[in-house]
Amino acid sequence: MLSVENINAELNTKFLARNIIYLPEANSTNAEAWKYVNDKITNGSIIITDYQTSGKGRRKNVWSSFPGKSLTFSIILFSKDYSSIFSLFPLLTGLSIVNGILSSVYIQTGLKWPNDIMLSRKKMGGILIESKLLNNDPVSVIGIGLNINENIVNFPNSIQNHATSLSIYSYKQFNRERILAEILNEFEVMLNKEAEEIINLWEKNCIHNNSCVSFHSKNKKYNGIFQGIGKDGYAKIKINENIKKFSTGFITL
């Protein structure tokens, strides 16, 4: 069971996660977060569970988690104060995760556009961001799922060749509270950076920058060279000597 007290002991944020709602079990932390948003919850609150039973991924995928081994949580952010970096929320969230994992357990993970956390070219985490207007002000719920202490048998057979965890990679077990706190510490730091710095840092941690990729967007597949991120967070792909920008889609390596 996760300890809110132990998470608080590792936090050095000013506002982020100063209100933590712990749920032993939840269908989806994002869905739970929206319930609390409507009750005028404080900015920077987080919802966390030990067991997410119906987690959501991008493109209507299911995010599997195993009781007591994953980190599954959502950050509630009233985002009107961050309009200049709003489109970069997926990037800065990924950076916060990579930096938080590195500072807490000294393992270098990487990023795959737009929101996958990678380890040894396998997926160990993902991000799902949902945004709405509430009384004409934008609100974002940033859902994060990370594989921490899972064994390979904890994953469904269909993803065992493509998924990993920190434990599978290192043959160790980790303190989830410390990892979570370090990610949150990094997240608050990232919120205060300029867009250009966020993009530059993301590109340095991208595992496929300047590499050949297959890009899938709107039921079409493009083969090209990933050329980084535009100011708006769009992916830039060099296809037949021309640079095309994509706001949505996914990459296969």
Side-chain angles (χ1 to χ4, degrees):
M1 178 182 293
L2 287 161
S3 165
V4 173
E5 182 179 359
N6 289 346
I7 296 168
N8 284 326
E10 301 281 353
L11 280 175
N12 56 30
T13 57
K14 292 181 179 179
F15 81 95
L16 194 66
R18 288 306 168 183
N19 178 34
I20 299 175
I21 298 171
Y22 169 73
L23 305 172
E25 183 176 318
N27 288 337
S28 158
T29 58
N30 269 28
E32 292 294 333
W34 284 117
K35 295 177 185 177
Y36 285 99
V37 166
N38 294 327
D39 290 334
K40 299 181 180 180
I41 198 169
T42 56
N43 189 32
S45 296
I46 73 164
I47 314 295
I48 186 166
T49 184
D50 254 315
Y51 182 32
Q52 184 171 254
T53 58
S54 301
K56 297 183 293 183
R58 292 181 71 245
R59 306 189 306 278
K60 299 182 180 180
N61 290 331
V62 174
W63 179 262
S64 299
S65 64
F66 198 80
K69 296 194 174 186
S70 305
L71 270 177
T72 47
F73 61 101
S74 295
I75 302 169
I76 297 171
L77 200 61
F78 294 92
S79 40
K80 64 180 180 179
D81 294 331
Y82 306 104
S83 58
S84 64
I85 57 171
F86 179 79
S87 64
L88 303 181
F89 278 0
L91 308 187
L92 72 85
T93 303
L95 279 169
S96 303
I97 294 167
V98 168
N99 291 344
I101 290 173
L102 183 62
S103 62
S104 58
V105 300
Y106 313 109
I107 293 174
Q108 181 68 63
T109 53
L111 298 167
K112 182 162 79 75
W113 192 89
N115 57 8
D116 288 345
I117 313 302
M118 307 296 288
L119 182 58
S120 293
R121 301 186 75 82
K122 294 184 177 182
K123 186 171 179 176
M124 67 139 299
I127 302 160
L128 177 65
I129 299 179
E130 300 171 319
S131 298
K132 299 179 183 178
L133 284 176
L134 186 66
N135 298 323
N136 293 319
D137 287 329
V139 181
S140 296
V141 169
I142 301 170
I144 298 169
L146 300 173
N147 302 326
I148 306 297
N149 289 324
E150 288 90 344
N151 300 313
I152 193 64
V153 295
N154 296 142
F155 297 128
N157 291 335
S158 59
I159 66 170
Q160 286 186 0
N161 291 331
H162 311 289
T164 192
S165 70
L166 294 180
S167 185
I168 292 170
Y169 174 81
S170 64
Y171 303 98
K172 297 178 181 178
Q173 295 286 297
F174 296 98
N175 183 309
R176 291 181 297 154
E177 290 93 338
R178 185 182 179 201
I179 294 171
L180 173 60
E182 287 297 333
I183 290 170
L184 295 168
N185 291 338
E186 293 287 344
F187 193 97
E188 189 168 284
V189 170
M190 285 292 164
L191 283 174
N192 293 306
K193 292 189 179 296
E194 298 294 329
E196 183 177 359
E197 185 176 3
I198 292 169
I199 290 169
N200 289 338
L201 289 170
W202 191 94
E203 289 177 344
K204 288 179 181 178
N205 285 277
C206 174
I207 67 169
H208 53 77
N209 209 25
N210 297 314
S211 298
C212 293
V213 299
S214 292
F215 194 88
H216 305 258
S217 179
K218 298 179 180 178
N219 297 319
K220 292 185 179 180
K221 178 181 175 181
Y222 305 87
N223 293 316
I225 299 174
F226 190 85
Q227 299 281 276
I229 301 293
K231 294 180 180 179
D232 44 17
Y234 291 7
K236 297 186 295 184
I237 310 291
K238 187 176 182 180
I239 303 170
N240 297 327
E241 303 305 318
N242 296 313
I243 302 294
K244 295 194 68 168
K245 295 177 69 177
F246 297 88
S247 61
T248 59
F250 66 98
I251 284 171
T252 54
L253 305 178

